[in-house]
């Protein structure tokens, strides 16, 4: 029997923990006849800070970690393409499959320090704020938490004052007035009780959407290599695209439940007009252009990476 320790940054009540990581671990345990157990440590229980999670898997502090590549800006430039404004899809299942396929093609070198079990992206991110946002002008000077570098650049291009931080820091930053709101998807809202701190929630209509964040479930390479062949086969069968499909559940299935609960609270949920969305897309286009330029300067075929990302999102659009 083998027990693997999985470490992540959200609370045990969070939707990703309950509706992806726990069912995934249980499925692996069942298919290994109880011989492969994944013990999950939420809320940074094994120590450290969220930006250290990737290296915790690399160094064996944990056997598996769930983290955001965007927590360490500039370190994983290829996967960033999905975090550009108006590239990714509204639905998580589309992004999960597109990001996983893209990572298989382009990110082996980028994630070489770990054994990637799954690489995926969430569904649409929203603006949750104390002030109502229905147009670009409403964003002027609004201090909004962002999860990764390109999300922050997009918010700045729209006139907001972006403030970067991991999700667990949002409640304290809200209470201290450091931020006026945050951009996060619906599924994470109840785990940080954001619906109690703001009354306004702004959605962007259609696809592509304003922003998403990418994730990786990475495993210590030595620990993976040391698994008995039959247990490694069980883990492999629940990695890649199989895991990516499971990863979509917290956003596509639980997200609407959270939205309905927030609506029942009496909070105001608005969707900007399509014309306004087009204004936002034009205003954030320089973020895309700058990423293409700086990525090319690093030696990446940035145009090809962006084209492939968009192609994969389109190909999986009916998933």
């Amino acid at each position: 029997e083998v027990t693997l320790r999985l470490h992540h940054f959200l609370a045990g009540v969070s939707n990703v923990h309950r509706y992806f990581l726990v069912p995934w671990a249980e499925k692996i345990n069942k298919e290994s006849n109880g011989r492969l157990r994944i013990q999950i440590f939420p809320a940074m229980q094994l120590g450290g800070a969220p930006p250290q999670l990737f290296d915790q898997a690399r160094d064996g502090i944990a056997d598996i970690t769930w983290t955001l590549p965007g927590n360490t800006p500039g370190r994983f430039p290829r996967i960033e393409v999905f975090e550009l404004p108006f590239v990714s899809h509204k639905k998580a299942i589309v992004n999960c499959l597109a990001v996983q396929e893209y990572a298989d093609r382009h990110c082996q070198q980028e994630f070489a320090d770990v054994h990637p079990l799954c690489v995926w992206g969430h569904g649409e991110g929203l603006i949750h704020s104390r002030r109502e946002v229905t147009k670009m002008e409403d964003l002027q000077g609004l201090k909004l938490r962002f999860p990764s570098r390109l999300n922050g650049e997009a918010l700045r291009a729209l006139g907001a004052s972006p403030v970067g931080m991991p999700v667990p820091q949002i409640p304290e930053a809200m209470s201290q007035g450091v931020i006026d709101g945050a951009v996060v998807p619906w599924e994470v809202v109840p785990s940080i009780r954001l619906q109690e701190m703001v009354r306004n929630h702004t959605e962007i209509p259609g696809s592509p959407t304003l922003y998403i964040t990418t994730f990786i479930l990475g495993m210590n390479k030595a620990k993976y290599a040391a698994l008995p062949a039959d247990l490694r086969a069980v883990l492999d069968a629940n990695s890649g695209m199989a895991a990516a499909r499971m990863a979509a559940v917290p956003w596509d299935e639980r997200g609407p439940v959270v939205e309905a609960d927030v609506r029942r609270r009496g909070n105001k949920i608005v969707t900007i007009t399509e014309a306004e969305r087009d204004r936002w897309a034009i205003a954030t286009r320089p973020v895309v252009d700058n990423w293409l330029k700086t990525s090319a300067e690093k030696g990446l075929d940035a145009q090809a990476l962006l084209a492939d990302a968009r192609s994969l999102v389109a190909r999986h659009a009916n998933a």
Side-chain angles (χ1 to χ4, degrees), residues 44-157:
M44 303 305 299
Q45 289 177 358
L46 297 182
Q52 297 169 329
L53 280 165
F54 185 89
D55 289 342
Q56 287 187 357
R58 180 196 66 188
D59 299 337
I61 295 170
D63 302 313
I64 302 170
T65 60
W66 166 44
T67 189
L68 289 71
N71 273 344
T72 47
R75 183 174 178 181
F76 306 104
R78 290 172 179 82
I79 202 67
E80 279 188 334
V81 67
F82 286 96
E83 298 178 354
L84 288 166
F86 298 100
V87 168
S88 298
H89 203 274
K90 190 180 187 77
K91 288 177 59 179
I93 185 62
V94 177
N95 298 325
C96 288
L97 299 179
V99 171
Q100 178 64 61
E101 187 170 345
Y102 174 95
D104 287 340
R105 291 183 187 178
H106 302 295
C107 298
Q108 296 299 314
Q109 176 185 348
E110 197 152 280
F111 298 135
D113 285 343
V114 301
H115 174 74
L117 297 170
C118 184
V119 187
W120 75 99
H122 64 59
E124 65 162 335
L126 296 87
I127 297 169
H128 311 267
S129 55
R130 291 192 170 116
R131 187 165 83 208
E132 184 178 358
V133 174
T134 61
K135 58 186 183 301
M136 200 186 310
E137 288 74 14
D138 297 331
L139 288 165
Q140 297 302 310
L142 199 63
K143 294 177 291 185
L144 293 175
R145 172 267 177 187
F146 68 90
S148 62
R149 182 177 71 88
L150 294 173
N151 306 152
E153 289 183 14
L155 289 172
R156 185 175 289 108

